[in-house]
Amino acid sequence: MTAEATLARFREYMVGPARFMNLLSCFELGIVDELRARPGLTAAELGAAVGAKAAAIEQMLFLPVKEGFVAHDETSGGYRLDALADVPEAELAGVVDFMHFIKVVTLRQLFHLTESVRSGTLVGLSEFYGFEGTLYEAAATHKDIGDPWSRVMNATTARIDPWFFANIDVPAGSRVLDLAGNTGLGAIHTYRHKASPGLTVTTFDLPEREEDCLRNFREHGVQEHCSFIGGDVFVSIPGGFDVVLVKHFIDMWDKDDVLRILSGVRDALEPGGQVHILVPIYPEDVHDTDNYTIDFFPSFFLGCSMGYGGPQKLSVYRAWLEESGFTVTQTLAKDPADLPRYALPVQAILSATKPV
Amino acid sequence: MTAEATLARFREYMVGPARFMNLLSCFELGIVDELRARPGLTAAELGAAVGAKAAAIEQMLFLPVKEGFVAHDETSGGYRLDALADVPEAELAGVVDFMHFIKVVTLRQLFHLTESVRSGTLVGLSEFYGFEGTLYEAAATHKDIGDPWSRVMNATTARIDPWFFANIDVPAGSRVLDLAGNTGLGAIHTYRHKASPGLTVTTFDLPEREEDCLRNFREHGVQEHCSFIGGDVFVSIPGGFDVVLVKHFIDMWDKDDVLRILSGVRDALEPGGQVHILVPIYPEDVHDTDNYTIDFFPSFFLGCSMGYGGPQKLSVYRAWLEESGFTVTQTLAKDPADLPRYALPVQAILSATKPV
């Protein structure tokens, strides 16, 4: 890589924040919706419609026109959707939800990334919200974080869970524990996808989630099969289970904590019982340019969501499972070709057995 | 452009802020300097050197390794500079200065881009600094903005001014006015590059700049040839000049204000006098992917520096000069091939004459 090429690549990085917000702001201002409804509007007409000066609209649309997202007729001065017209509206709405999540949860907070890395705490969350703790705790009390976060998490879960449950073994009549199962969505999905005579699913999470969780079970009519146990995974995990599910959780922790979690899972399982882990992974070849997990997650975990943690390679998680006394029975990475083209994380399943 | 390609391009935008801060933070933490001094350090050694946990260093270095900026030996666990080792240190320091400027002046402020576009004011500057006004006013009182801004502006001026003065005509003995000349650097450069018997240069800017400006003239030994006049370009520009220079200024304003400025310049010039404008421009073909002015400047002006304004195409500035009664004698865009590979703006010179 020549110095020229390196500096040219730096330039791509330097315009990253500006490009991101210029594009997102065109959606926030309502410019894209206006152009979809009324192709051919001029900057002056768009400005009148969205409440901004014509000159500002012209500036905001230079970049979408450069990209071919929007077309500009220099003779009439009219704009219309170009490439954006060909993206299904529901899919585009999903991307914009994700961009809004990135804006709210990361854009300002990343300003404090360096101090966050040094302190192992979320300096941005403290600065902008006066909040000491993790993103997941802040999401519970700050709707402006919690709502965009829930929308993205629910969309991701809806996409990933069918794949997860299609690829794990839950024997008929199992007693299943959903570790760090939040307010029960994972338990409900487990029952839906894996129902069998005698199957029970227990959500394990902090005691304050119990009320919401039990209400969710009732609302989904699974209260006969699902239950809640309150506690802290780092203190004690209840025992007597045939299957433990660990979804979207171990990527939040550094190695020491992951080993503590896996040790607790081993204690919770009957001999011969299975653990199934769902987790975003970095590619084995970190130079793989088709994988964006590396581009987003390090600074997300260190600066925006935990102050520590972050995904690992599948081979690392496999080694940590073996180090914790498990026999790994399956590792399966989602095929990036099956992901939406805007998806950032590549998910994997690791299944393992507690030796008899 | 297929929907697939459009969404893949959105993904590049979505990781923009994360990539930017992950890379910059590796410099801020001192990781790059450590690796330059001691190639082969492990994550644990780097963490000890820069004051962070080894696990966090590993996460921060995934992206530089993916890019080939840094190399990682999986056997020893050691890291060393890869492509970064081949970039001259002074040039790399210049890029990092620019990235620091982008972080301080734009990253958080862009969060409020949409409200800034609607209001025509800098909502981010108000939110984060309690400051009502422009970036240039804030830079005078907030060192954390002013210092990075000055470093980037001085580096840009040092690079661009020799080209500017090599390409404009300043007849011997001219009376030159440097419009919005700040604290005199432009006047000093004018005298240095264009000295001739009888040449005088007058800096015109807000009265509060006078003291700093006159001190600069004395310190550079040009006080016999340079003077200062305080005032406001939108109220009245002094007259009786042969040449007016307008550098880094008209891109800050919308068309109406640019026309008012040009009208004032015409009044300040003797018949036959010349104006020379230095300004960043958008490319005539906005789809030109080698030009990054469009990627950075709209959101910079609307959300971070003025709340309005922004560059135009060279042809637009030419038309505005003609609309203001000037005869355009020269338009010259800097060849992007002559710019450092990390430069964002492409500058141009427009020269014009006030008809006799």
Side-chain angles (χ1 to χ4, degrees):
Chain A
M1 200 172 184
T2 64
E4 289 281 287
T6 302
L7 292 172
R9 188 67 184 153
F10 267 65
R11 185 168 53 182
E12 292 287 329
Y13 275 55
M14 290 161 74
V15 295
R19 280 179 178 163
F20 172 80
M21 267 315 302
N22 190 334
L23 179 59
L24 177 56
S25 190
C26 288
F27 288 94
E28 290 184 346
L29 285 163
I31 293 174
V32 177
D33 287 341
E34 285 293 334
L35 290 179
R36 191 185 299 280
R38 298 192 284 161
L41 290 182
T42 64
E45 290 163 343
L46 275 168
V50 309
K53 285 170 64 178
I57 299 294
E58 280 175 14
Q59 291 285 331
M60 292 297 287
L61 285 173
F62 273 115
L63 184 59
V65 170
K66 174 180 179 179
E67 291 285 3
F69 297 155
V70 169
H72 183 220
D73 181 334
E74 305 233 348
T75 311
S76 70
Y79 296 90
R80 60 175 177 75
L81 299 188
D82 191 356
L84 290 185
D86 299 327
V87 181
E89 273 192 70
E91 199 162 12
L92 198 56
V95 185
V96 174
D97 276 350
F98 207 151
M99 292 180 76
H100 183 61
F101 164 82
I102 290 171
K103 172 190 164 187
V104 171
V105 171
T106 80
L107 187 65
R108 293 176 301 173
Q109 288 86 334
L110 285 169
F111 182 89
H112 298 286
L113 177 61
T114 298
E115 307 99 282
S116 293
V117 170
R118 287 217 177 94
S119 67
T121 67
L122 299 176
V123 177
L125 212 49
S126 171
E127 286 288 322
F128 301 118
Y129 290 89
F131 190 90
E132 306 298 328
T134 69
L135 172 68
Y136 310 100
E137 292 158 353
T141 48
H142 292 278
K143 261 182 80 71
D144 64 325
I145 293 179
D147 287 354
W149 177 69
S150 296
R151 261 201 304 281
V152 164
M153 288 305 108
N154 291 344
T156 305
T157 299
R159 198 174 70 227
I160 293 292
D161 267 8
W163 175 76
F164 176 71
F165 287 110
N167 283 287
I168 64 164
D169 174 40
V170 177
S174 294
R175 294 157 298 172
V176 180
L177 182 71
D178 187 23
L179 197 76
N182 203 4
T183 54
L185 184 63
I188 294 164
H189 283 182
T190 307
Y191 191 77
R192 291 255 167 91
H193 286 279
K194 294 294 189 182
S196 63
L199 181 84
T200 61
V201 192
T202 302
T203 295
F204 181 71
D205 212 308
L206 300 175
E208 54 263 39
R209 310 250 155 96
E210 177 162 10
E211 196 184 319
D212 284 351
C213 186
L214 295 180
R215 191 181 52 244
N216 281 336
F217 290 159
R218 286 192 302 274
E219 284 176 7
H220 288 82
V222 297
Q223 71 272 27
E224 302 293 313
H225 317 285
C226 296
S227 61
F228 183 93
I229 297 179
D232 179 335
V233 292
F234 291 111
V235 176
S236 165
I237 302 178
F241 292 94
D242 306 306
V243 173
V244 175
L245 308 181
V246 189
K247 296 166 64 191
H248 310 296
F249 188 59
I250 64 170
D251 48 318
M252 294 161 63
W253 309 97
D254 288 338
K255 179 179 182 182
D256 289 356
D257 286 325
V258 174
L259 294 185
R260 287 169 66 201
I261 293 164
L262 294 179
S263 163
V265 168
R266 205 185 51 220
D267 295 344
L269 280 172
E270 299 290 344
Q274 303 174 74
V275 60
H276 301 295
I277 296 171
L278 178 67
V279 65
I281 51 161
Y282 295 142
E284 294 300 316
D285 174 7
V286 296
H287 297 98
D288 176 1
T289 53
D290 278 346
N291 183 306
Y292 283 70
T293 318
I294 281 177
D295 301 68
F296 183 75
F297 280 87
S299 63
F300 174 74
F301 277 99
L302 296 173
C304 308
S305 76
M306 296 297 287
Y308 43 85
Q312 301 289 341
K313 298 177 184 178
L314 191 53
S315 59
V316 171
Y317 283 130
R318 168 190 270 277
W320 291 357
L321 270 166
E322 288 167 349
E323 199 175 328
S324 302
F326 284 96
T327 304
V328 176
T329 56
Q330 168 184 248
T331 60
L332 180 66
K334 193 135 177 59
D335 184 349
D338 292 340
L339 295 170
R341 288 297 288 179
Y342 60 85
L344 301 182
V346 174
Q347 307 278 351
I349 298 169
L350 293 101
S351 299
T353 306
K354 174 178 177 172
V356 180
Chain B
M1 200 169 183
T2 64
E4 290 281 287
T6 303
L7 292 172
R9 187 67 183 154
F10 267 66
R11 185 167 53 184
E12 292 287 329
Y13 275 55
M14 290 160 74
V15 295
R19 279 179 177 161
F20 172 79
M21 267 314 302
N22 190 334
L23 180 59
L24 177 56
S25 189
C26 287
F27 288 94
E28 290 184 346
L29 285 162
I31 293 174
V32 177
D33 287 342
E34 285 292 333
L35 289 180
R36 191 185 300 280
R38 298 191 285 159
L41 290 182
T42 64
E45 290 163 344
L46 276 168
V50 309
K53 285 170 65 179
I57 299 295
E58 281 176 14
Q59 291 286 330
M60 292 297 288
L61 285 173
F62 273 115
L63 184 59
V65 170
K66 175 180 179 180
E67 291 285 4
F69 297 155
V70 170
H72 183 219
D73 181 333
E74 305 233 349
T75 312
S76 70
Y79 295 90
R80 61 175 176 76
L81 299 188
D82 191 358
L84 291 185
D86 298 327
V87 181
E89 272 191 71
E91 198 161 13
L92 198 56
V95 184
V96 174
D97 276 350
F98 207 151
M99 292 180 76
H100 183 62
F101 164 81
I102 290 171
K103 173 191 163 186
V104 171
V105 171
T106 80
L107 187 65
R108 293 176 301 173
Q109 288 85 333
L110 285 170
F111 182 89
H112 297 287
L113 177 60
T114 298
E115 306 99 283
S116 293
V117 170
R118 286 216 177 95
S119 67
T121 67
L122 299 176
V123 178
L125 213 50
S126 171
E127 285 287 321
F128 300 119
Y129 290 89
F131 190 90
E132 306 298 329
T134 69
L135 173 68
Y136 310 101
E137 293 158 352
T141 48
H142 292 278
K143 260 182 82 69
D144 63 324
I145 292 179
D147 287 354
W149 177 70
S150 297
R151 260 201 304 282
V152 165
M153 287 305 107
N154 291 343
T156 305
T157 299
R159 199 174 69 227
I160 293 292
D161 267 8
W163 174 75
F164 176 71
F165 287 109
N167 284 287
I168 63 164
D169 174 40
V170 176
S174 294
R175 295 157 297 172
V176 180
L177 182 71
D178 187 23
L179 196 75
N182 201 4
T183 54
L185 184 63
I188 295 164
H189 283 183
T190 306
Y191 191 79
R192 291 254 167 92
H193 286 279
K194 295 293 189 184
S196 63
L199 181 83
T200 62
V201 192
T202 302
T203 295
F204 181 71
D205 212 309
L206 299 175
E208 54 263 38
R209 309 252 156 96
E210 177 161 12
E211 195 182 319
D212 284 350
C213 186
L214 294 180
R215 191 180 53 243
N216 281 335
F217 290 158
R218 286 192 301 274
E219 285 176 7
H220 287 82
V222 297
Q223 70 272 27
E224 302 294 314
H225 317 284
C226 296
S227 61
F228 182 94
I229 297 179
D232 179 336
V233 291
F234 291 110
V235 176
S236 165
I237 302 178
F241 292 94
D242 306 304
V243 173
V244 175
L245 309 180
V246 189
K247 296 166 63 191
H248 310 296
F249 188 59
I250 63 169
D251 48 319
M252 293 161 63
W253 309 97
D254 288 338
K255 180 178 181 181
D256 289 356
D257 286 326
V258 174
L259 294 185
R260 286 169 66 201
I261 294 165
L262 294 178
S263 162
V265 168
R266 203 186 51 221
D267 294 344
L269 281 172
E270 300 290 345
Q274 305 173 73
V275 59
H276 300 296
I277 296 171
L278 178 67
V279 66
I281 50 160
Y282 295 142
E284 294 300 317
D285 174 7
V286 295
H287 297 99
D288 177 0
T289 53
D290 277 347
N291 183 304
Y292 283 70
T293 318
I294 281 177
D295 301 68
F296 184 75
F297 280 87
S299 64
F300 174 73
F301 277 98
L302 295 173
C304 309
S305 77
M306 296 297 287
Y308 44 83
Q312 301 289 341
K313 297 177 185 179
L314 191 52
S315 59
V316 171
Y317 284 130
R318 168 190 270 277
W320 291 357
L321 271 166
E322 288 166 350
E323 197 174 329
S324 302
F326 284 97
T327 303
V328 176
T329 55
Q330 167 184 246
T331 60
L332 180 66
K334 191 133 176 64
D335 183 347
D338 292 340
L339 296 170
R341 287 296 289 178
Y342 59 85
L344 300 183
V346 174
Q347 307 277 351
I349 298 168
L350 292 102
S351 299
T353 306
K354 175 178 176 172
V356 179

